[in-house]
Amino acid sequence: MGRRRKSVRSSDDGLSYLAGVGLFILLIYSLFQKVLEWIALHKNEIIIGGICFIALLIISFLIWNWFENRNRSNMGTQHKNPPSFTSARPSQNDDRSFVNNQQLNHNEIRLTTVDIQEWNNRQKLREKEQRRQREFAFSGIEQIDKMTGRDFERRMKVLFEMKGWKAELTPDTNDFGADLLVWTPEGKKIVVQCKRYSKNITNKAVQEVVSAKAHYKADATMVITNQWLTKNARILAESTKTEIWDRDRLIVEIEEAEKRFDDNNRTFKA
């Protein structure tokens, strides 16, 4: 009797299980039919949405892959040379290297300071030389009286250049009686004898410049001095048609040349 009741109870459970499975299958089938009907009505939207969804997945994957590779590379760099206890403690060689580097940096700084100081010194010397040249170029008759003979020749060269003439110094020795060769703006060539004396000039200066005229194939002769000429020297100058710039004429020429000089543009006025 007990066995019979157990068999009936098990058959009832089997029937109820089959009924449940059947109902589930019918439910799934009905849902599937509804899904098919919805897909048939919204076919185009589903295709577009699917494409967008796939594109979004691809973009997300690419971004994720880029970040992943970046993290791996950073981790690889960090673990390429892992720190150790020995490397954390500076060795004696490291101390020496540090000291050498400090000395090198100090030498570089000191070298840079020396270079700057040397450049400043050169600049000061250059400015001093420019001031000296300017003072020399604008030296008056009082400064000329204290010059050497060669400096007087250089000062006269500057004077002719300030007048707009071309001037050239002859050699210190073997000048054949001429200290300067000058050319006027018209191209006239003149041999010049410069005499910076403390007394009047004799006719010897006129004789020297007259003899130099033929040697240099010049067109005219001139004698310049910070003093005056003796009577005989003036007579000889008149007969040889030698132009004379004595002290009075020299002062006038210096003043006229300085008036023609444009100090702002460092050029000569026409």
Side-chain angles (χ1 to χ4, degrees):
M1 196 71 182
R3 291 180 181 177
R4 193 180 219 176
R5 287 179 181 176
K6 289 181 180 180
S7 63
V8 172
R9 194 175 289 172
S10 61
S11 62
D12 292 338
D13 293 338
L15 291 175
S16 60
Y17 175 77
L18 291 176
V21 171
L23 290 173
F24 179 76
I25 292 173
L26 290 175
L27 180 61
I28 294 299
Y29 178 76
S30 62
L31 290 174
F32 184 70
Q33 291 291 330
K34 295 292 184 181
V35 169
L36 291 178
E37 293 176 359
W38 185 84
I39 291 174
L41 293 174
H42 303 85
K43 183 178 181 180
N44 295 330
E45 290 83 349
I46 292 173
I47 293 173
I48 296 173
I51 293 173
C52 293
F53 180 73
I54 293 171
L56 182 61
L57 288 177
I58 294 173
I59 294 172
S60 300
F61 174 77
L62 293 176
I63 294 174
W64 174 83
N65 190 30
W66 181 79
F67 276 106
E68 189 70 16
N69 293 332
R70 183 180 179 183
N71 293 331
R72 289 177 181 175
S73 62
N74 292 335
M75 292 178 64
T77 304
Q78 294 176 357
H79 295 288
K80 186 175 182 180
N81 295 316
S84 61
F85 178 75
T86 56
S87 63
R89 298 179 59 184
S91 62
Q92 187 177 2
N93 294 330
D94 293 336
D95 293 338
R96 292 177 181 177
S97 177
F98 175 76
V99 172
N100 293 333
N101 290 333
Q102 291 295 104
Q103 292 177 352
L104 180 60
N105 294 333
H106 178 71
N107 292 333
E108 290 177 352
I109 295 173
R110 185 173 61 183
L111 180 61
T112 304
T113 305
V114 171
D115 291 340
I116 294 174
Q117 186 66 32
E118 183 178 357
W119 183 89
N120 290 332
N121 293 335
R122 291 180 181 177
Q123 186 69 16
K124 291 179 180 178
L125 291 175
R126 191 180 298 110
E127 293 175 355
K128 183 178 179 180
E129 179 64 19
Q130 290 176 353
R131 287 194 302 269
R132 192 192 70 82
Q133 292 179 359
R134 176 177 172 78
E135 292 174 357
F136 180 81
F138 287 90
S139 55
I141 194 66
E142 293 82 5
Q143 290 79 19
I144 289 175
D145 290 338
K146 301 176 183 178
M147 291 181 180
T148 63
R150 193 59 176 174
D151 285 341
F152 180 58
E153 295 170 5
R154 296 190 183 97
R155 177 65 180 89
M156 292 303 99
K157 178 179 181 294
V158 173
L159 176 60
F160 283 112
E161 291 174 346
M162 293 175 71
K163 287 170 61 66
W165 295 18
K166 181 182 176 182
E168 179 182 320
L169 287 168
T170 59
D172 292 341
T173 58
N174 299 325
D175 57 8
F176 300 100
D179 299 317
L180 278 176
L181 300 177
V182 299
W183 289 263
T184 64
E186 295 78 19
K188 183 180 179 180
K189 185 177 181 181
I190 304 173
V191 288
V192 182
Q193 177 68 234
C194 301
K195 294 296 183 181
R196 206 253 358 126
Y197 276 11
S198 58
K199 58 183 180 179
N200 292 341
I201 306 301
T202 63
N203 56 3
K204 182 181 178 182
V206 180
Q207 294 171 353
E208 289 177 352
V209 76
V210 170
S211 64
K213 178 182 177 181
H215 176 75
Y216 289 103
K217 298 179 181 179
D219 302 314
T221 56
M222 180 185 297
V223 174
I224 304 177
T225 179
N226 65 321
Q227 298 297 331
W228 291 271
L229 272 70
T230 63
K231 183 178 179 181
N232 291 336
R234 286 191 175 278
I235 293 173
L236 183 60
E238 292 177 359
S239 63
T240 57
K241 298 181 179 180
T242 299
E243 187 175 358
I244 301 299
W245 285 14
D246 59 9
R247 188 179 185 88
D248 296 332
R249 175 69 183 277
L250 181 58
I251 293 173
V252 173
E253 292 292 339
I254 291 174
E255 291 176 352
E256 291 295 328
E258 290 179 355
K259 290 179 182 179
R260 297 179 64 248
F261 187 76
D262 188 353
D263 189 40
N264 293 327
N265 297 326
R266 312 294 297 175
T267 57
F268 300 102
K269 297 179 181 178

